[in-house]
Amino acid sequence: MSYKDASLSIEARTEHLLRLMTLEEKVGQLVQLFGWKVYERNGSEIRLAEAFKEEAARGRVGSLYGVLRADPWTEVTLETGLSPREGAETINAIQRYAMEHSRLGIPILFGEECSHGHMAIGATVFPVPLSLASMWNRELYEQVCRAIALETRSQGGAATYSPVLDVVRDPRWGRTEETYGEDPYLASAMAEAAVRGLQGSRLDADDSVIATLKHFAGYGSSEGGRNSAPVHMGLRELHEVDLKPFRAAVRAGAKSVMTAYNEIDGVPCTSDPYLLTDVLRKQWGFDGFVITDCGAINMLVWGHDTASNPEEAAAASLNAGVDMEMSGDMFRAHLEHAVLNGRVGMETLDEAVSRILRIKFELGLFERPYADPERAARVIGSREHIALARQAALEGIVLLKNKDRTLPLSKHGAGKIAVIGPNADNIYNQLGDYTSPQPRRSVVTVLDGIRNQLSHAPERVLYAPGCRIKDDSREGFETAVETAGKADVIVLVLGGSSARDFGEGTIDLRTGASVVTDSPHSDMDCGEGIDRSTLGLSGVQRELAEELAKLGKPLVVVYINGRPVAEPWIDEHADAVLEAWYPGQEGGNAVADMLFGDANPSGRLTVSIPKSVGQLPVRYNGKRTVGKRYLETDMQPAYPFGYGLSYTEFEYGALSLSAPEMTSDGSVSATVSVTNKGERAGAETVQLYIGDKVSSITRPAKELKGFSKIFLEPGETREVTFDIDAEQLSFVGRDLEETVEEGDFDIMVGPHSADVQSVILRVRGV
């Protein structure tokens, strides 16, 4: 039993174990079943399903997905789900049975969803990734990922299906909220932080989990912004944009990659040997394992139609470089036959199995397979993590408009505040997709946050929902207008919803009370599989804003949503606009901190916000050959990439280079001074952009190549320096290799992509 000897190398242990395994046991390691189906709960008693016990005893279950996942899809509710302690105990029971009743005692790998917090009951719900990227704060994001890893591993989860590294081309896509936005450099920086935070310094630590990079590749570039639709791009663009964050994360040590549902130029990603073997393993040196998205292999037969039957699909995926199938349907039923029939070679199968086993050894699962229920109960949803969620929400909020310093509002005096809107007091609309059921007390809505700020004068806060997200009913308008008429300022909370049906009923538009009906209304207009043909507010939300504006009172609009909102009327008529994205369970406190000036806005956009959907695609790094303007509008966004206001003012000094020229293998530094000219302390994100003035391949006029978030006291000045070398100046050439060409480059620095100063850097050959 030398594979159980921890003093031996992982390679030696893996080789020995592999020699002992039967074909059935080998295939079992490549199968990931749905975890919430392997146990049954009867009151406080947890019983393992007989079907699972039979499969586990035969060594046919290598991994389980979402044992602790709770949401409408799994049909696990607050009442039927597992507490943090119960979750750890249940995973221990599953693990113990698999190890004690199977021939070889190979531990199960438990994979969990952790897009912005572990998708389990009781776990901390952080802001969605689009909000976390809007912080422009690598260090804080790494802390968030460390907290997520700790909460997940404490219950026995050892792998997470994040981060999402898709670069967004069309924000109508419902999964925009899960991404870092439209820029590959920023996505790369956040990807590296995610890998460091999730995986820690070593995988066998009790606060580390495997990071799974998804979706490989091009998933955010589908035609029309429709989920899983075909992707049309050349290999050069694929490498320069969509693959860049994945490559950065692989270099940072990521141990898992998930295939994308889509095809690229006619080739499904799940059966593409170029992507999964040539690029990922041979070019990048990736040494982890590849897992499919749920049902992706099925699509090869029923969807892409590139395989005539399930066995052919299973073989094509494994031969291309897939190691594990989420859901396990195709591998479990057909992979053994594919090997016996010669469609898959034993050497190919063994390599896939070895990759899984090596990771299990690296995770220390053979030595420490069980979780500590007491520790899980102590660390999950801790005060420290809740405070971290609040800080992350604060730094991700973007102030888009602040006419005549409408914000911050005053906590003092007798003025009343009308809090209006469908997202003012709806907990699930605030949390985003991939969220577990929540007790009401765990989530602070915007209304809650404002009431917390004015707890000394509760009579100052008035509330009416006004309307729902998608519903066309105007029955709440009268109450909303009447309520706002009694106030001195209106805080209107609009946006979208990625909330699944958690059985919460609906809201009475006249009273604001939650009511349960036989036909619950779904407000969901964002999230996975919920793509749109427009970017305007759903339902009658804009009409509500128009009615309230007629009162002539200061109007502050707060957006809570998962994709950009294109509403020129609101941009023009609102006195202030805050973009909060889906800010998580502490989002209401964070928004209130901003509204009343306890915090100074420092969030910056990571997606350009268009004036209308007809401008799409609108992104800051478009090519110089983008074309002429439309008849009805120009090509400029309403709010550009990198944009965000503050309650203070920052002044930039002149940009300078350490040298006016460099060799293609050399380096220079760019330096600029930034001064806080206002009366409040605040954070500024200094952004570096570079443009190649003449190149053999057409390139964007500017590309983000660096950023630094700095905190300045009133009157304080600080110098910010960026190092520039071949990495910042290179591009992917026709031969798909990185190259730096001679010539002049624009070096640009400023507060956002549309407000930069520039100097020329000349690059010459070696």
Side-chain angles (χ1 to χ4, degrees), residues 67-81:
V67 170
L68 303 174
R69 175 172 173 163
D71 67 336
W73 182 47
T74 62
E75 298 181 338
V76 177
T77 67
L78 279 173
E79 291 72 29
T80 64

Side-chain angles (χ1 to χ4, degrees), residues 541-600:
Q541 293 184 80
R542 191 186 69 192
E543 293 179 37
L544 175 62
E546 292 172 350
E547 290 300 312
L548 294 172
K550 293 176 182 176
L551 296 173
K553 301 175 184 290
L555 179 63
V556 177
V557 171
V558 178
Y559 285 132
I560 292 181
N561 50 294
R563 59 161 71 86
V565 173
E567 284 289 358
W569 188 93
I570 289 179
D571 293 335
E572 181 180 353
H573 291 88
D575 296 284
V577 180
L578 278 175
E579 175 56 82
W581 306 118
Y582 294 129
Q585 70 179 72
E586 280 292 301
N589 278 331
V591 169
D593 287 343
M594 287 297 178
L595 292 174
F596 290 100
D598 286 352
N600 194 347

